[in-house]
Each structure stands twice: as C-alpha cells, then as structure tokens.
Amino acid sequence: MSALFVQIADFLIAALILGGAGFALVGSWGLVRLPSLMTRLHGPTKATTLGVGGILVASMIYWPVHEGRYTFHELLITIFLFIAAPITANMIGKAHLHRQGNYIDPNPADDIREGLPERDRWATFTKDAD
C-alpha cells in the first residue's frame, strides 16, 4: 500500500475514534445528568451505541491497513450491539411504564403517570389473570 493511502486511512481511523469517543462521552454524560429513567435511556442506547460503533469501525479499518488481515470480530460485536441495545432499552422502558401504570414505583422521578394511556388499551399495563 502506498504511504498516502496509509496516511488517509490513519486520518480516517483517528477521526472515527475521536467521533466515537465524543459520542460515548455525550451518552455517558446524558446517563448521569438527565432527570428520569425514560430520558436517561437515550444516552446509552443511542449516543453510546454510535460511539462504540465508530470505534469498532476504526478497528475494522486498522487491521487490514496495518496488519494486512481482515477481522470480523468487530462486525459481530457491532451487529450484536445494534440488535441488543434497542431491545434492552425497549424492555427497560416497558418495565418502567408497567411500574408507573400499576403504581408499583413509590417514588417516580418523572410525571408520566398522567400521560399514560388507558389500562385496557395497552398490553404493557395488563396483568396476567391469576
């Protein structure tokens, strides 16, 4: 490979790592600073996932350029992360709504109880028949 190609690849790798680190920092900051669980979910599920994805893409570029071999570990991690993060966030959100809808949470940090839909119109709020 030519030296110019390696320099361009190094610049791209550095940009992806810096961008990924920036997204991870913003996601972590949002996790710490946002007031309620529903707003805090956005930090780790969106920004941090993009941050980790950027760093993994940088790693996918680094290995063929500098070591001459391709690795698929980063691709598998990225696919797993992009599938697992939204599903996990959805389940946490549904559990939170269920707790709010059934008045299980004694100290809710957000005021979503008034905005919840009718109990019989949403499956999240229904209880299993005993």
Side-chain angles (χ1 to χ4, degrees):
M1 285 186 223
S2 69
L4 179 63
F5 178 75
V6 172
Q7 284 183 340
I8 291 172
D10 285 344
F11 179 75
L12 182 62
I13 291 167
L16 285 169
I17 289 173
L18 288 175
F23 274 113
L25 178 66
V26 169
S28 300
W29 184 259
L31 182 64
V32 172
R33 295 295 298 171
L34 290 173
S36 68
L37 185 131
M38 295 302 275
T39 56
R40 267 186 251 138
L41 275 177
H42 293 286
T45 57
K46 293 176 179 63
T48 306
T49 301
L50 284 175
V52 172
I55 292 170
L56 289 171
V57 170
S59 178
M60 288 175 64
I61 295 171
Y62 173 82
W63 285 103
V65 170
H66 290 283
E67 302 295 328
R69 62 186 171 103
Y70 294 94
T71 62
F72 293 103
H73 301 104
E74 295 89 352
L75 181 63
L76 293 174
I77 294 169
T78 303
I79 290 170
F80 175 75
L81 186 67
F82 282 11
I83 290 172
I87 292 171
T88 304
N90 186 22
M91 297 308 290
I92 291 172
K94 286 183 76 138
H96 179 71
L97 289 176
H98 179 77
R99 289 175 56 94
Q100 296 297 316
N102 290 314
Y103 300 101
I104 296 172
D105 192 359
N107 189 18
D110 50 10
D111 296 327
I112 63 171
R113 243 184 225 162
E114 293 79 27
L116 293 177
E118 298 293 326
R119 293 179 59 88
D120 58 342
R121 298 189 67 196
W122 203 3
T124 300
F125 301 128
T126 60
K127 290 183 177 178
D128 293 332
D130 294 329

